[in-house]
Amino acid sequence: MTVGWPISIHNLHLRLGKRTVLMDIDARLEKAGRTVVLGANGAGKTALLRVLHGLQKPSSGTIQWGEYSLSAVCNQAYVPAGAKPFRRSVLGNILLALRLKNVTGKVAQARAFQALELCQLQHLADHPAQRLSSGETQKLFLARAWALGAQTLLLDEPTANLDPASTTSIEKLIN
């Protein structure tokens, strides 16, 4: 997770049905640098990322992104583990995300192509996104986040199930 805003988490709890997934989480993540959340399977790492992104409402507790209490205003992106791209071209995936943020026309095209170039995917711009390899798919999600101008990246296992070359490539992009 790369942090663009200071994040303060106080007394965070998350219950899903009868199961307590997160309990008594207190943390402060400063503006610069990376934070890695490590833990055993089922420890709540993904649940924490989903709560931070706003996909899951906590049962109790508070999260502050800088001076804001809503993650949506903080220009962040979440890349879940095993996510599948939209049924569009590689370029179309990025343009759709930009359109959902009201970025269209030449500005959207320029940002999309710049992100594809950064992630070395420009040669696949017209390729169906669902036919990408796992490593290329991760690059696509990173390109989409950067095209959106995300200041905070919430990455859930960004190199899981990738070969060593793809892992190195994704780690370089994140760095």
Side-chain angles (χ1 to χ4, degrees):
M1 176 167 49
T2 301
V3 180
W5 291 77
I7 304 169
S8 295
I9 303 167
H10 180 67
N11 202 28
L12 186 69
H13 290 257
L14 175 63
R15 287 189 58 81
L16 298 175
K18 295 182 180 184
R19 185 171 170 232
T20 299
V21 179
L22 302 172
M23 183 171 58
D24 297 326
I25 306 292
D26 285 293
R28 177 154 174 86
L29 309 177
E30 295 301 329
K31 185 172 182 173
R34 287 172 205 84
T35 301
V36 177
V37 179
L38 295 173
N41 290 341
K45 301 176 299 292
T46 296
L48 177 61
L49 292 176
R50 290 177 54 81
V51 169
L52 289 173
H53 186 59
L55 291 173
Q56 183 75 48
K57 185 178 178 183
S59 303
S60 63
T62 60
I63 301 171
Q64 288 288 126
W65 290 78
E67 60 190 67
Y68 303 101
S69 60
L70 298 174
S71 59
V73 299
C74 297
N75 206 11
Q76 44 95 343
Y78 173 53
V79 179
K84 303 291 183 205
F86 299 120
R87 292 178 189 239
R88 306 172 174 266
S89 68
V90 170
L91 176 62
N93 265 263
I94 297 173
L95 292 174
L96 176 60
L98 288 166
R99 187 172 349 129
L100 293 172
K101 294 288 187 175
N102 297 316
V103 180
T104 58
K106 291 181 182 180
V107 172
Q109 289 282 332
R111 285 168 88 178
F113 278 110
Q114 184 179 34
L116 287 174
E117 187 174 333
L118 174 72
C119 294
Q120 300 174 339
L121 291 174
Q122 66 274 20
H123 64 289
L124 295 173
D126 295 325
H127 190 78
Q130 293 191 316
R131 292 192 185 152
L132 294 175
S133 70
S134 297
E136 290 166 337
T137 300
Q138 281 304 96
K139 286 182 178 183
L140 171 58
F141 288 125
L142 290 173
R144 195 165 68 191
W146 284 312
L148 292 168
Q151 294 177 355
T152 300
L153 299 176
L154 303 170
L155 307 173
D156 192 357
E157 300 187 27
T159 60
N161 302 314
L162 297 183
D163 60 67
S166 295
T167 296
T168 299
S169 179
I170 295 298
E171 288 172 348
K172 284 181 181 178
L173 283 172
I174 293 168
N175 286 332

